[in-house]
Amino acid sequence: MTLNTTSKAKMIIDKSFKISEVNPRIYGSFIEQLGRAVYGGIFEPTHATADEDGFRQDVINLVKELNVPIIRYPGGNMVSAYNWEDGVGPKESRPKRLDLAWNSLETNEVGTNEFVSWAKKVDAEVMMAVNLGTRGIDAARNLVEYSNHPGGTYWSDLRKSHGYQDPHNIKVWCLGNEMDGPWQIGMKTAYEYGRLAAETAKAMRLVDPTIELVSCGSSGSGMETFPQWEAETLEHTYEYADYISLHQYYGNRDNDTANYIANTLDMDNFIKTVIATCDYMKAKKRSKKTMNLSFDEWNVWFHSNDQDKQVEPWSVAPPLLEDIYTFEDAILVGSMLNTLLKHSDRVKMACMAQLVNVIAPIMTETGGGIWKQTIFYPYYYTSVYGRGTALHSIVDSPKYDSKDYTDVPYLDQSVVYNEETEELVIFAVNRNLENQLLVDVDIRSFEGYGLVEHVVLENEDPKAINTITNEQVKPHTNSKSYIENGTLTAVLPKLSWNMLRLKKNEEK
Ligand code: AHR
């Protein structure tokens, strides 16, 4: 790695340099019937804080704090062999099944209706995935009828008989999950998937024409079939789907922090390539429709890989994918959120994977307390304050080279302007491991704006973690940044995530 000692960067922000309105759905998340996400996570009837439906109130409170607008369910890998009918109706007759995706035992105590009820409690809409691994058109169209049809038909009346009079009106539906992945039960070739997804979409839309559909893209930028998978599947699904999915996880397996936190260059390229492939298909089909992107699984995932191999097979709610996140993971997560915002003209939905216990910002002890992982913080601030219009920024930053990337800017940023609240918010990462970065931001078009707060996430130790008893990584406010003559001088400590929030008529 070449370390550049320059520690100054420049940025220009202008009100009229608009990327797009930020769709709040980019701050979505994901609960899979996996590990302790549901059982011992959101649902634990014997817990001290459990409500009348068995849901943990302490979890509900933290999820609400994150302001998560949409939550994907029930998988993930799990959905590719899932019979949704197992999870509805009287609990005593629900079958226990082998969950082949996660080597666990699924009791089906929680299913579609319970999840919809929980989502209401956290003020989120549901993004429902259908099984296109072992099943297909019939199971999918029946689930739409069960969920969304008002009544007077077999499946909608069955829902009513289960105690849910009103339709759930689930708007967003994923046509399967990661169907390009060899680990998937019922993996498909691009042709097989494209045809099945198109015909399934057609039938689902006949049941409910108001739904929005997500066609499966690649399970990661590193897939051998990427981007041919997108090109071939879209050939069939373009006219039926509204979105194509992207999934991506990163891990610092080589313990090379500078390289690790540069991974958003890959994410950025992934998004650009998917957009290019969608637009090629648009041109090829002479279509008027623009395909949007649903980045419906993204996060860091690697810490728990080895320990997961030791888990007892066929156990109920085993502790799986319980990554304990470090400070440097939070830096990368902050950058990933910046990347989503910078593409908000095409990325209209995204889900941090996942939400509770399983590669999650929120951790619980079964029968015990709750705590925030390091990654909770960039997610929280970006979700709460990153609403409005995403703005382009012109940036001049010193750069470095790492093992996999060249010309990595030390400064990684995104900007959101909320016209309604008259707030301008800058999310900024300093990737420099040694030096603080002084950023001069030209904000002349924001006359009369003052600094409300500069929130900083920093730590001497990139590997610092949080536990239930010791929160080593938490944000604080920094008073070193200031505004003078139309320039905001932001002081970003070495290796840090920052939020600078400005407001009109603020004194500072
Ligand atoms: O989120 C964990 C898993 O990652 C999901 O089940 C799957 O879709 C992806 O491979």
Side-chain angles (χ1 to χ4, degrees):
M1 188 187 73
T2 352
L3 263 185
N4 188 329
T5 50
T6 316
S7 55
K8 281 194 170 190
K10 277 196 250 166
M11 218 171 133
I12 303 174
I13 303 175
D14 192 288
K15 260 186 195 158
S16 51
F17 298 172
K18 294 182 179 163
I19 301 175
S20 167
E21 277 301 296
V22 176
N23 191 321
R25 280 177 171 167
I26 69 165
Y27 302 120
S29 192
F30 179 25
I31 288 282
E32 181 166 357
Q33 298 262 158
L34 147 66
R36 296 192 309 120
V38 172
Y39 309 111
I42 65 168
F43 181 76
E44 199 184 334
T46 54
H47 192 266
T49 71
D51 67 10
E52 66 287 1
D53 298 318
F55 293 116
R56 283 181 66 150
Q57 191 61 50
D58 56 350
V59 175
I60 291 173
N61 295 345
L62 270 200
V63 174
K64 282 176 89 164
E65 202 173 311
L66 283 170
N67 203 359
V68 187
I70 188 164
I71 307 181
R72 190 163 173 255
Y73 176 83
N77 295 339
M78 176 271 188
V79 80
S80 295
Y82 179 55
N83 300 333
W84 67 265
E85 301 87 339
D86 292 345
V88 297
K91 291 206 175 180
E92 57 289 0
S93 24
R94 295 188 192 177
K96 290 189 173 59
R97 299 271 190 200
L98 297 181
D99 171 0
L100 303 182
W102 300 108
N103 235 8
S104 316
L105 197 84
E106 175 56 63
T107 62
N108 284 304
E109 211 184 331
V110 169
T112 303
N113 296 319
E114 290 81 17
F115 187 75
V116 168
S117 304
W118 179 78
K120 277 202 189 107
K121 292 174 197 257
V122 297
D123 302 324
E125 61 172 321
V126 173
M127 181 193 289
M128 184 68 78
V130 300
N131 174 357
L132 291 192
T134 59
R135 304 187 79 188
I137 304 171
D138 208 37
R141 61 138 181 169
N142 293 344
L143 180 55
V144 178
E145 186 181 319
Y146 181 91
S147 306
N148 288 5
H149 199 72
T153 65
Y154 177 78
W155 292 105
S156 56
D157 286 346
L158 188 65
R159 180 197 70 240
K160 288 184 166 191
S161 76
H162 292 159
Y164 298 84
Q165 284 304 309
D166 295 330
H168 297 322
N169 286 327
I170 298 169
K171 279 281 158 274
V172 182
W173 294 78
C174 301
L175 297 160
N177 175 70
E178 296 190 348
M179 299 309 304
D180 61 329
W183 57 87
Q184 209 66 222
I185 313 287
M187 176 218 180
K188 307 269 182 289
T189 64
Y191 175 79
E192 288 166 344
Y193 173 72
R195 286 290 306 123
L196 178 61
E199 292 304 321
T200 306
K202 218 160 85 184
M204 290 167 78
R205 256 234 179 86
L206 285 170
V207 179
D208 181 353
T210 70
I211 58 177
E212 299 169 43
L213 294 163
V214 187
S215 186
C216 274
S218 292
S219 323
S221 60
M223 295 299 289
E224 259 177 47
T225 47
F226 172 72
Q228 180 56 24
W229 172 272
E230 279 72 5
E232 218 175 319
T233 56
L234 284 175
E235 191 73 66
H236 306 283
T237 60
Y238 199 90
E239 64 182 286
Y240 302 107
D242 305 284
Y243 310 86
I244 185 159
S245 71
L246 297 84
H247 290 181
Q248 188 66 48
Y249 296 96
Y250 296 110
N252 191 1
R253 294 191 171 80
D254 308 331
N255 196 16
D256 178 345
T257 303
N259 192 54
Y260 174 57
I261 59 175
N263 270 315
T264 44
L265 273 69
D266 172 71
M267 183 178 179
D268 183 65
N269 197 43
F270 187 21
I271 293 173
K272 284 179 179 150
T273 309
V274 174
I275 291 173
T277 313
C278 290
D279 292 350
Y280 156 72
M281 199 48 65
K282 178 179 182 177
K284 187 173 177 208
K285 289 187 174 288
R286 315 285 192 259
S287 173
K288 289 202 164 50
K289 180 167 95 184
T290 299
M291 182 70 63
N292 283 319
L293 277 54
S294 171
F295 212 124
D296 49 40
E297 284 189 35
W298 67 268
N299 203 350
V300 169
W301 175 17
F302 76 110
H303 296 286
S304 59
N305 292 169
D306 287 337
Q307 87 207 24
D308 284 351
K309 294 181 191 135
Q310 319 299 323
V311 167
E312 188 64 32
W314 314 131
S315 28
V316 177
L320 283 170
L321 280 66
E322 298 207 2
D323 277 41
I324 300 302
Y325 290 114
T326 59
F327 166 59
E328 67 185 15
D329 296 331
I331 296 290
L332 180 61
V333 160
S335 252
M336 292 179 90
L337 286 157
N338 285 343
T339 309
L340 295 172
L341 277 170
K342 281 187 272 193
H343 286 287
S344 52
D345 54 334
R346 292 300 284 274
V347 178
K348 297 295 179 188
M349 294 195 292
C351 303
M352 175 189 258
Q354 298 189 12
L355 187 55
V356 184
N357 290 333
V358 170
I359 42 174
I362 298 171
M363 295 299 287
T364 69
E365 282 180 336
T366 303
I370 188 162
W371 51 281
K372 296 171 182 171
Q373 294 242 45
T374 61
I375 62 169
F376 182 95
Y377 291 106
Y379 183 30
Y380 165 78
Y381 283 103
T382 316
S383 170
V384 171
Y385 295 104
R387 311 230 174 181
T389 305
L391 298 182
H392 288 286
S393 37
I394 299 172
V395 173
D396 180 18
S397 165
K399 295 176 173 150
Y400 68 97
D401 295 339
S402 71
K403 185 167 75 59
D404 297 320
Y405 305 101
T406 44
D407 287 339
V408 181
Y410 281 120
L411 174 63
D412 176 70
Q413 83 302 326
S414 65
V415 181
V416 179
Y417 169 44
N418 191 324
E419 222 164 328
E420 227 169 90
T421 59
E422 299 191 301
E423 280 195 357
L424 174 69
V425 186
I426 303 169
F427 301 103
V429 166
N430 176 10
R431 291 190 177 109
N432 195 319
L433 307 182
E434 315 290 336
N435 300 317
Q436 72 172 13
L437 190 63
L438 291 188
V439 190
D440 279 342
V441 192
D442 180 335
I443 50 163
R444 279 174 298 174
S445 84
F446 289 93
E447 218 192 315
Y449 276 65
L451 191 59
V452 180
E453 58 177 346
H454 176 175
V455 177
V456 183
L457 199 62
E458 61 179 326
N459 202 287
E460 273 306 312
D461 179 6
K463 308 294 180 197
I465 58 165
N466 291 343
T467 64
I468 194 158
T469 49
N470 187 9
E471 193 174 47
Q472 290 185 65
V473 182
K474 59 176 170 214
H476 65 90
T477 46
N478 184 346
S479 56
K480 289 188 195 147
S481 302
Y482 59 93
I483 297 175
E484 220 172 59
N485 301 328
T487 300
L488 160 70
T489 301
V491 185
L492 313 183
K494 69 175 184 186
L495 189 63
S496 62
W497 174 91
N498 304 261
M499 180 188 77
L500 293 114
R501 192 156 65 89
L502 284 70
K503 198 170 173 61
K504 193 158 183 173
N505 300 325
E506 186 69 26
E507 284 303 303
K508 284 179 272 175

